[in-house]
Amino acid sequence: MKVNKQAQVKGKSQKWKDVRSKRCRPSIKSSDLNSSPVMVRVVKEHQVSAKKKPSVKRLKNKAKTVSDHNKSKPSESGVRKTNPQTNGSSMFTLDEETTGETWDVKFGRLEGEALHHCAQRDDRQNHAVLVMQQDQTLCFRGKCFLTCLYGRVEVMGFTIEEGQKSYPVYSPASHCPLTIRALETSHFHRNDRTEASQILQKYLPPASRKKLLKKIMLASSVILLEPMETPLTRFLSSFTHLSELFSPPANELMSAVLDTPLNGLGVIPLTSTVEGLKMSQSYRDALNTAVSACRGDMDGSAVILVCGIKNVGKSTFIRVLINTLLNHTSSVDYLEGDLGQTEFTPAGCLSMLTVREPLLGPPFTHQNTPEHMIYYGDVSCEADMDRYLESLKSLWRRRPKSRETPFIINTMGWVKGFGLQLLVDLIRVLPVSHVIQLSHGSTTQCPALTPEFLRTAHGCQTHPPAQTAMDECTESHGPPKTYSHLDVQAEFRGVARQGTAKYQRSNEQRELSLLAYLSQLQSPEPGLVRPLHSLTPYQVPHAAVALGVIHCEVVPSHMFYAVNASLVGLCCLTEKVTSKGGPVLLPQAPVCPCVGFGVLRGVDMARGLYFLLTPVHPSVLRKVNCLLLGAISLPSCIFTSQPDLEGETPYVTTDYSFDLTGAGKLRVFKGLARPSHAGTQ
């Protein structure tokens, strides 16, 4: 089968380059999003509460006209000079001073009646235009395409300017709501009304355009919001339990603003009672320090390791850091060391990849194929820490020595006992220049991983003095003799506690990432979602690939029962697979490259075939000679929610008894306190 291989864009070695570009995306035709029964009920509750007590404060003073503002220029002392970024925005500062003029406009969160005055919707083109003043914010749930038409705005640390392409933004109930913030603009010489009128002409009818022009001032930003329907969103919404994924969770229902021009586009604004991303001062300082280090004249590239306990905001911090760096450089390198909460792949993977697009949503919204990946096969490395470390070392060796792009390392939330020793090993064996450690409160969750602490600390593979277990790697990449340690205090609500609302548990988020990966099996064209059982699988001969189980021991006679209807890693062994007429079984777990995943939906013993569903390109599949089964299982909804079935549901049976010894899956209750910890809580 001859397939045209897609061209890949190679990253350039230039450290900082101009990344501002006018990119285009194909227009997406989408109908209005239907309201769910839950949202209909919320609308009624909202209307009742609105009658009881108005929530909109009126301006006491009449706002100045646009002409009045044009007559008076802000004083030079009130304007803060900015250093230009390669993304076309100013130097990254989170504590910017505002100009002397306030324009007599209410700043802060856009909500309530203000949204009716600042936003206009064109039903014919099915989009909305929103005018925002400097430092105004829009916090929302939902999903949409965002285009900056005038001025500039910031989302999760990434600056979006006029002339740039549209970006997809996702704000699901599984994570903290996204916030769009209007930034300061330095174009005081512009005729704001004339230019904005020409821009709005393409997007709004005359009546709506006239209303918005009255709101546009010198420091205004104008954004375009369009509904978004992709194979990912269609596939996720086909499951009943995920139908409210992009709606406000139960604790935000009364804070949702449900009667604005934005709601029909899939965007639900939230009032100021709901916090967006909350950054402490140490959070801001660490971001500024990291970005300054990457922009400075370091000997080589900055290698930043982020660590901390579970649920302290490491992943969010890394997304903001990567987005901020993308304001200055075209790419950022990333090493995944967190098996349970991976950013770009399904759980259980260690990977290294280059990030070129901003991360404007949680992990399941930007599943990507890494340049290098190893399938570990479990959400914890506790059972085999040596294989975990060897896998990360193997990935690091694949990084080109001449790379000068910033490098971010994500780590697990396991920071006690052996987990702390693994962190010590990683800092020693990798040429880390900065360690950013997140914590909360006044209690010590983990020792400060300073250079002084590492001089006496013991790791799993390394011991003081710091003689690394990877000399050939560290010598070739020239590790610094010391590194900077930055402490970040997380102060958001619910810090260090796992979310209890729907979609917020860690296992649910792993399920979302895996479903997002499987959504790549769907057609990119709009249409009905095709269930997995209706897709045509590849036929793979038993003798062509080796089969292995990497998370537990399985007797050879039960191997096919274990892998049937399971997720398998598609891997490439260095040695050639040879068969003596039957299936090839691996005796132990290998450390080898993984190119993707597939669903092994059937085994034909008579013909000696595996039936495999995978989104991996056929040209890449030719290199695969190994299928690895791990502890990452397919979501139950894949089996139970299969539409258009006739007869019995495949892989699901009711003729089963859990009363038999060994019939059920063995589960370990990890919440059980150890004897040494009893009575301490």
Side-chain angles (χ1 to χ4, degrees), residues 536-581:
T536 304
Y538 291 98
Q539 297 182 16
V540 184
H542 288 177
V545 294
L547 189 63
V549 179
I550 54 180
H551 67 291
C552 64
E553 293 184 2
V554 178
V555 295
S557 59
H558 291 176
M559 188 72 78
F560 291 128
Y561 295 106
V563 299
N564 191 29
S566 297
L567 183 79
V568 292
L570 310 179
C571 304
C572 305
L573 297 172
T574 53
E575 60 271 16
K576 186 177 180 181
V577 175
T578 57
S579 172
K580 296 181 180 180

Side-chain angles (χ1 to χ4, degrees), residues 477-643:
H477 287 79
K481 295 181 179 180
T482 186
Y483 57 87
S484 299
H485 177 267
L486 304 174
D487 180 61
V488 174
Q489 283 290 317
E491 298 177 356
F492 59 88
R493 186 181 302 173
V495 61
R497 297 197 306 269
Q498 181 175 254
T500 57
K502 200 173 182 181
Y503 314 124
Q504 293 181 355
R505 296 183 180 275
S506 56
N507 62 315
E508 292 177 301
Q509 294 179 8
R510 287 193 287 268
E511 178 182 291
L512 285 171
S513 293
L514 185 48
L515 289 174
Y517 182 85
L518 295 177
S519 72
Q520 299 176 51
L521 290 166
Q522 300 294 317
S523 170
E525 300 299 326
L528 296 176
V529 172
R530 297 182 62 190
L532 297 187
H533 66 80
S534 68
L535 302 176
T536 304
Y538 291 98
Q539 297 182 16
V540 184
H542 288 177
V545 294
L547 189 63
V549 179
I550 54 180
H551 67 291
C552 64
E553 293 184 2
V554 178
V555 295
S557 59
H558 291 176
M559 188 72 78
F560 291 128
Y561 295 106
V563 299
N564 191 29
S566 297
L567 183 79
V568 292
L570 310 179
C571 304
C572 305
L573 297 172
T574 53
E575 60 271 16
K576 186 177 180 181
V577 175
T578 57
S579 172
K580 296 181 180 180
V584 181
L585 305 181
L586 295 177
Q588 59 184 6
V591 176
C592 59
C594 176
V595 298
F597 298 91
V599 178
L600 206 157
R601 56 166 292 180
V603 181
D604 190 331
M605 296 298 296
R607 293 189 292 166
L609 295 174
Y610 300 117
F611 295 98
L612 188 72
L613 285 174
T614 178
V616 177
H617 197 273
S619 62
V620 180
L621 284 178
R622 295 189 183 100
K623 305 174 185 178
V624 174
N625 60 359
C626 177
L627 304 179
L628 294 182
L629 172 69
I632 310 302
S633 57
L634 290 171
S636 59
C637 60
I638 292 291
F639 302 105
T640 58
S641 303
Q642 302 182 63

Side-chain angles (χ1 to χ4, degrees), residues 306-379:
V306 181
C307 60
I309 65 170
K310 293 180 181 179
N311 303 308
V312 79
K314 296 188 298 296
S315 297
T316 302
F317 180 88
I318 288 175
R319 283 193 286 274
V320 175
L321 176 58
I322 290 176
N323 289 341
T324 306
L325 289 172
L326 288 176
N327 291 330
H328 306 273
T329 181
S330 60
S331 62
V332 177
D333 290 341
Y334 177 84
L335 178 64
E336 182 62 82
D338 189 350
L339 292 166
Q341 298 297 327
T342 49
E343 188 70 28
F344 298 98
T345 66
C349 295
L350 300 171
S351 61
M352 184 171 66
L353 73 160
T354 301
V355 185
R356 295 183 175 87
E357 293 292 331
L359 311 177
L360 306 180
F364 75 87
T365 64
H366 45 253
Q367 291 292 290
N368 204 344
T369 302
E371 287 88 347
H372 307 287
M373 178 169 60
I374 293 175
Y375 186 43
Y376 185 87
D378 209 338
V379 298

